[in-house]
Amino acid sequence: MYKSLSLFHAKPCLRKVALPQATIVSTRAFSDAQGPAGTPPQRLNKPDIRSIPRPKDPINLATPPSGEQSIEYSPEFLAQGYDKHEIYVHPEFITDEEHDLLAKNCEKKLRRLASTYEMGHFDKRIHNYRECSVGAWLPNMRSVAGRVAQETGRAVDPDPVDLPDRRPSSGGISSSSSSRSGGWTTVGRDDGEIRNVLDRVWSLFPNSLAWLPPHILDLHQDGEILPHVDNPEYSGFVVGGLTLLGPAVSTFKHVDDPHVRVDVLLEPRSLYFMTDRIRYQFTHEITVGAGQRVWRGVPVPRARRISLMFRDAKQPEKGWGSLAVQ
């Protein structure tokens, strides 16, 4: 029985101020076909299977036993032989202390870069949200530029700045205020520690992947992500995130048969990823509908939720080296 849902509470919306609208890559839908006037939108189209990005090296993610209770497959999903490994959930991937560190710093970034909740996204698939990307949390060696340098035999500086970690020694995660960040850019006080936490995520994947900057998506307690299929033109093979603050249930439905579905419980501190057909042949959604706010008979409270998201970049057909400036 899942007993921890009542521990999470929504926080009030921050004051509204005028800011330019940011761009969220992950929810750019492949199609946004509308139904006839006065009818709901049609289900979104899926891209051709041949257009789904393919990684150079195999990705071997397997949900640990602790995560199996967080995933429910429909009988139709199981009967059609879909690969369970295309959904990955790892509860308690980070500690309570790491969760609080990430949540605090996400809040700082949002307050500075996106201090108002947007009521509508440009593709109409997400409502009542805030977002921003954090390039400072992505080491050069894992970025597109780093992969280009590696494939062309050039040296990769882990980062242009190598400063001592600024976090004082006061218990916490750091054991020594004199420890260096090992190549991390520590422009912010906690950036070195944050990068070490995030590096555990990137380390799950082959080194041949290049990553886009981490993306913070803050969904208000009344916000929702409507069903959509990701567009393969905007990122690579995998997308996932660390769940912060509040729980949610994410639902995946095959575009051609919504009975072929997977429901996933995303608790705070959990890490999730979706790949291959689950990402590009299924819609995914997190809504405020009562039917999606229950997990095995237990109500899931509506709560503010931050997802710190990870996406790999789409690799050119001729390899990363083809992007090098001659």
Side-chain angles (χ1 to χ4, degrees), residues 45-81:
N45 297 325
K46 64 181 185 297
D48 187 274
I49 192 72
R50 292 170 295 182
S51 67
I52 295 178
R54 295 293 169 185
K56 176 181 177 181
D57 298 311
I59 294 174
N60 300 310
L61 285 182
T63 294
S66 61
E68 293 176 356
Q69 296 301 311
S70 298
I71 309 176
E72 288 191 341
Y73 308 95
S74 72
E76 292 82 359
F77 180 94
L78 297 175
Q80 295 192 27

Side-chain angles (χ1 to χ4, degrees), residues 4-325:
S4 60
L5 292 173
S6 61
L7 299 178
F8 307 105
H9 304 282
K11 295 185 179 180
C13 176
L14 300 183
R15 63 185 180 88
K16 304 281 278 187
V17 298
L19 283 178
Q21 184 171 343
T23 299
I24 177 169
V25 178
S26 66
T27 57
R28 288 190 174 185
F30 180 72
S31 171
D32 195 19
Q34 299 292 318
T39 65
Q42 301 172 7
R43 290 192 64 82
L44 301 181
N45 297 325
K46 64 181 185 297
D48 187 274
I49 192 72
R50 292 170 295 182
S51 67
I52 295 178
R54 295 293 169 185
K56 176 181 177 181
D57 298 311
I59 294 174
N60 300 310
L61 285 182
T63 294
S66 61
E68 293 176 356
Q69 296 301 311
S70 298
I71 309 176
E72 288 191 341
Y73 308 95
S74 72
E76 292 82 359
F77 180 94
L78 297 175
Q80 295 192 27
Y82 286 99
D83 187 354
K84 290 183 177 181
H85 291 170
E86 293 179 8
I87 288 280
Y88 170 85
V89 181
H90 189 148
E92 300 181 353
F93 184 82
I94 56 175
T95 67
D96 286 328
E97 190 174 35
E98 291 167 340
H99 170 279
D100 293 346
L101 175 75
L102 292 173
K104 178 186 71 174
N105 281 273
C106 284
E107 184 66 54
K108 287 181 179 179
K109 298 294 185 183
L110 290 164
R111 189 163 54 241
R112 183 167 62 89
L113 300 173
S115 61
T116 181
Y117 284 92
E118 300 286 346
M119 298 308 297
H121 195 255
F122 68 88
D123 62 12
K124 304 178 183 178
R125 310 319 300 170
I126 182 169
H127 305 288
N128 219 341
Y129 70 99
R130 299 188 295 171
E131 62 175 0
C132 65
S133 292
V134 189
W137 292 351
L138 178 68
N140 283 353
M141 61 184 178
R142 295 196 182 276
S143 69
V144 172
R147 294 292 174 254
V148 171
Q150 289 174 337
E151 286 204 2
T152 54
R154 303 174 186 178
V156 182
D157 185 354
D159 268 293
V161 181
D162 183 13
L163 301 174
D165 199 306
R166 299 180 183 180
R167 185 179 179 88
S169 179
S170 57
I173 301 174
S174 291
S175 59
S176 171
S177 61
S178 63
S179 62
R180 296 182 65 79
S181 301
W184 302 123
T185 301
T186 48
V187 176
R189 180 185 182 190
D190 298 326
D191 282 358
E193 290 174 304
I194 290 173
R195 285 189 167 199
N196 279 310
V197 173
L198 303 190
D199 199 56
R200 299 211 310 270
V201 176
W202 292 313
S203 296
L204 295 172
F205 296 89
N207 288 332
S208 56
L209 294 185
W211 294 91
L212 300 173
H215 192 92
I216 302 171
L217 176 60
D218 177 3
L219 201 62
H220 187 270
Q221 68 172 21
D222 296 322
E224 58 183 349
I225 301 172
L226 300 179
H228 68 280
V229 177
D230 284 352
N231 191 324
E233 294 301 317
Y234 294 111
S235 59
F237 191 69
V238 302
V239 65
L242 285 165
T243 298
L244 308 175
L245 300 184
V249 175
S250 183
T251 298
F252 302 81
K253 299 178 182 178
H254 195 280
V255 171
D256 296 331
D257 183 358
H259 294 99
V260 178
R261 64 181 284 170
V262 183
D263 294 285
V264 180
L265 177 64
L266 302 175
E267 303 181 74
R269 298 169 50 205
S270 66
L271 175 69
Y272 66 94
F273 271 96
M274 55 181 177
T275 67
D276 206 359
R277 291 176 297 178
I278 291 290
R279 182 176 185 193
Y280 290 116
Q281 304 285 294
F282 286 62
T283 62
H284 48 277
E285 61 191 274
I286 297 177
T287 69
V288 296
Q292 205 181 9
R293 304 302 308 182
V294 175
W295 184 258
R296 297 182 177 176
V298 179
V300 179
R302 287 165 63 169
R304 178 189 173 203
R305 173 179 176 271
I306 289 178
S307 181
L308 181 55
M309 302 183 68
F310 308 91
R311 306 178 198 85
D312 68 311
K314 185 176 181 180
Q315 184 172 358
E317 292 184 4
K318 296 182 179 180
W320 297 117
S322 65
L323 300 179
V325 177

